[in-house]
Amino acid sequence: MPAITPYEEGEHRFARTDYEKSAACARERLCSVCGTPMPVDAPVWRVVGAAEAEAIGAALAAAAPYRNLAPTWEGPGHRACMLYASMVCPYLARPQARRKVLDRGTARGATGAVVGFADYEYAVTDTQVLFRFLGVVEFLPHDDAATAHLAALEQEIAQR
């Protein structure tokens, strides 16, 4: 279960984000999946959907810098955790899956990517935690099947 998943009425509420948990992860540089610390001055990763994967891919192909100008409420994590999440999270792993919670009913799209960034910045408002990511250091795109990252995950685990 992701570290930012709320627990309400005796159940985990997947597809929702717990504000306090997300804020703690941002402030303390904790992985949003496993909740353990991410090294300072080391890259962070996140999983992106089709539109952002295409924008990052185009920027990299043009040797241009990429920065998500529109902040996202999805926090960063360890490389292994994000590779894993890209395969097991129903929204991240399935191209037509939709998040209907909080009016986020847009499909992920046919492609996506696990992306490493040099760093992130965040803002904690009264109602949400927003993230921006800086400096692409790794771009691992996938088509409709995020299981393409299985070998990378196995290698990441073997190195530990």
Side-chain angles (χ1 to χ4, degrees):
M1 162 190 45
I4 58 171
T5 300
Y7 190 75
E8 300 167 350
E9 300 174 10
E11 294 183 15
H12 292 100
R13 300 294 180 186
F14 296 100
R16 292 190 182 185
T17 301
D18 183 292
Y19 169 85
E20 294 297 331
K21 291 177 180 181
S22 184
C25 285
R27 289 183 184 116
E28 299 171 34
R29 199 173 174 90
L30 303 176
C31 175
S32 62
V33 175
C34 72
T36 64
M38 296 181 293
V40 177
D41 297 328
V44 297
W45 282 262
R46 67 184 284 254
V47 183
V48 300
E52 193 165 2
E54 290 169 15
I56 293 169
L60 293 174
Y66 175 81
R67 180 175 178 176
N68 65 313
L69 296 178
T72 178
W73 55 274
E74 296 170 342
H78 298 107
R79 184 176 188 267
C81 291
M82 290 300 167
L83 289 167
Y84 177 75
S86 75
M87 292 182 275
V88 300
C89 170
Y91 176 73
L92 298 175
R94 296 185 196 132
Q96 297 308 318
R98 299 175 191 282
R99 281 188 260 199
K100 295 183 181 175
V101 177
L102 299 175
D103 200 27
R104 293 185 182 113
T106 304
R108 181 204 83 190
T111 63
V114 176
V115 185
F117 293 91
D119 206 356
Y120 70 97
E121 55 191 24
Y122 66 92
V124 178
T125 72
D126 290 341
T127 58
Q128 61 188 336
V129 182
L130 298 171
F131 296 88
R132 286 196 179 148
F133 294 86
L134 316 153
V136 175
V137 298
E138 184 176 35
F139 181 62
L140 302 170
H142 55 262
D143 291 329
D144 59 350
T147 55
H149 299 310
L150 183 57
L153 177 58
E154 289 171 339
Q155 182 179 18
E156 182 78 17
I157 291 169
Q159 291 175 354
R160 293 179 183 224

